[in-house]
Amino acid sequence: MKKWILSILLVVVLASLAACGSDSASSKQEKEEGLLSDGKLVVGVTAGPHEQILEKVKELGEKKGLKIELKVFNEYVMPNVALAEKQLDLNVFQHEPYLNAFKEDRNLDLVKVGDTVNFPMGIYSTSVKDVKDLKKGAKIGLPNDPTNGARALILFEQAGLIKLKEGVGVKATLKDIEENKNDYQFIELEASQIPRQLEELDAAAINTNFAIEHGFVPSKDSIFIEPKDSPWVNIAAVRSESKDDEAVQQFLDLYHSDEVKKFIEETFQGSVVASW
């Protein structure tokens, strides 16, 4: 009888230990599946201001115990592709209309997790100092991707160069130009290449990060610029499975710190605006 009771107790103890081991393994697996399973957060950025700001965030992260590795890109396609393919944990380079159009076009499961900064788009020229001085038939460049192209067209309308069909908004294309009294020729180019081709154009709409990378000071060198309260705010994006990850919140807290805001204000002098 005693042997029988001892046998039962032994089975119960072994079962309990197995359960504990299973729970421990489960917890370990769950921890390993988080974004910091390899000890660092891999963040994709475009070269220029985004990279400069993220270097500051990285510096703060080292003090707060969050290791950040930056992957720098020179165009707008691969940062989202790399994020979807899990080569990145998070990216910071785009505004929400661009993300929405990109993920719909490629069927990617990416989501916004927070606002970052605003880069007012400007019109630049090496031949005139004012948009009013552009001659009839002038060649004007703009980005060839749908969202930044629409943004440029809205900017051209704000500058009085054209008139768009009513209500087209962020989906505007060249076909939506309703009025072009001066017969301007609009030339679509890859956004990052426009600064290099500016001398071949009479004017062009250039994204601020590429303008700064080329040596322009947007608030001084542009001949027309978006207002500072422009709705085209840049964002941080992740795969939807990671939106609630603790490391993502740590990153956003660092980005939205007073130290980073001060860095942006002192470094860019109004050409890049903190959006929080």
Side-chain angles (χ1 to χ4, degrees):
M1 184 68 175
K2 288 182 179 179
K3 289 183 179 181
W4 182 76
I5 293 173
L6 287 173
S7 297
I8 292 176
L9 288 174
L10 182 60
V11 170
V12 171
V13 170
L14 289 174
S16 299
L17 290 172
C20 290
S22 177
D23 289 344
S24 177
S26 177
S27 298
K28 182 179 180 182
Q29 181 180 4
E30 185 177 338
K31 184 177 181 181
E32 287 177 349
E33 288 174 352
L35 292 182
L36 293 181
S37 59
D38 59 356
K40 62 187 175 185
L41 189 71
V42 183
V43 180
V45 293
T46 42
H50 278 307
E51 181 184 6
Q52 288 177 264
I53 296 168
L54 262 294
E55 286 288 356
K56 182 64 178 179
V57 175
K58 179 180 177 180
E59 176 188 315
L60 294 176
E62 290 175 356
K63 297 176 181 178
K64 301 288 186 178
L66 178 63
K67 186 176 180 181
I68 297 171
E69 178 183 338
L70 300 184
K71 298 287 187 181
V72 182
F73 298 85
N74 291 304
E75 44 75 50
Y76 288 157
V77 175
M78 285 309 298
N80 278 333
V81 173
L83 178 60
E85 293 179 350
K86 299 188 177 183
Q87 297 171 30
L88 304 174
D89 298 317
L90 182 149
N91 69 35
V92 177
F93 78 100
Q94 64 197 322
H95 47 62
E96 194 167 10
Y98 181 83
L99 171 64
N100 290 339
F102 193 97
K103 70 180 187 179
E104 181 179 349
D105 181 56
R106 301 203 179 206
N107 194 29
L108 302 180
D109 191 13
L110 306 179
V111 296
K112 165 189 171 180
V113 287
D115 292 334
T116 56
V117 293
N118 188 21
F119 292 74
M121 178 181 275
I123 301 175
Y124 297 79
S125 175
T126 58
S127 58
V128 300
K129 298 294 185 181
D130 193 302
V131 290
K132 295 177 182 178
D133 297 329
L134 288 168
K135 296 179 180 179
K136 189 172 183 176
K139 296 179 180 179
I140 303 176
L142 71 159
N144 63 4
D145 65 272
T147 49
N148 284 301
R151 182 180 185 179
L153 290 170
I154 292 171
L155 181 64
F156 295 155
E157 183 175 48
Q158 291 172 332
L161 300 178
I162 59 171
K163 188 174 181 180
L164 296 169
K165 293 177 183 176
E166 188 175 349
V168 291
V170 298
K171 294 186 178 181
T173 69
L174 291 176
K175 295 180 180 178
D176 295 309
I177 297 176
E178 189 171 71
E179 189 176 286
N180 180 12
K181 291 181 178 179
N182 290 312
D183 297 321
Y184 296 126
Q185 301 177 55
F186 294 101
I187 301 171
E188 295 179 298
L189 300 164
E190 203 283 313
S192 65
Q193 297 303 311
I194 296 178
R196 297 177 178 85
Q197 300 184 47
L198 186 59
E199 291 189 2
E200 300 172 22
L201 303 164
D202 296 296
I206 304 177
N207 294 81
T208 291
N209 57 318
F210 293 131
I212 292 175
E213 186 180 346
H214 196 70
F216 291 124
V217 178
S219 57
K220 296 178 181 178
D221 296 326
S222 63
I223 60 174
F224 190 86
I225 197 166
E226 287 176 340
K228 292 183 179 180
D229 60 351
S230 165
W232 302 87
V233 174
N234 279 235
I235 61 170
V238 300
R239 294 181 298 281
S240 62
E241 67 190 34
S242 305
K243 62 185 177 64
D244 297 320
D245 195 283
E246 183 180 348
V248 172
Q249 189 56 55
Q250 284 181 283
F251 174 85
L252 292 174
D253 289 343
L254 289 170
Y255 200 109
H256 293 162
S257 65
D258 291 339
E259 293 96 324
V260 171
K261 177 175 275 191
K262 183 179 179 181
F263 173 81
I264 292 168
E265 291 171 349
E266 293 179 349
T267 303
F268 303 107
Q269 299 294 311
S271 297
V272 180
V273 183
S275 299
W276 67 92

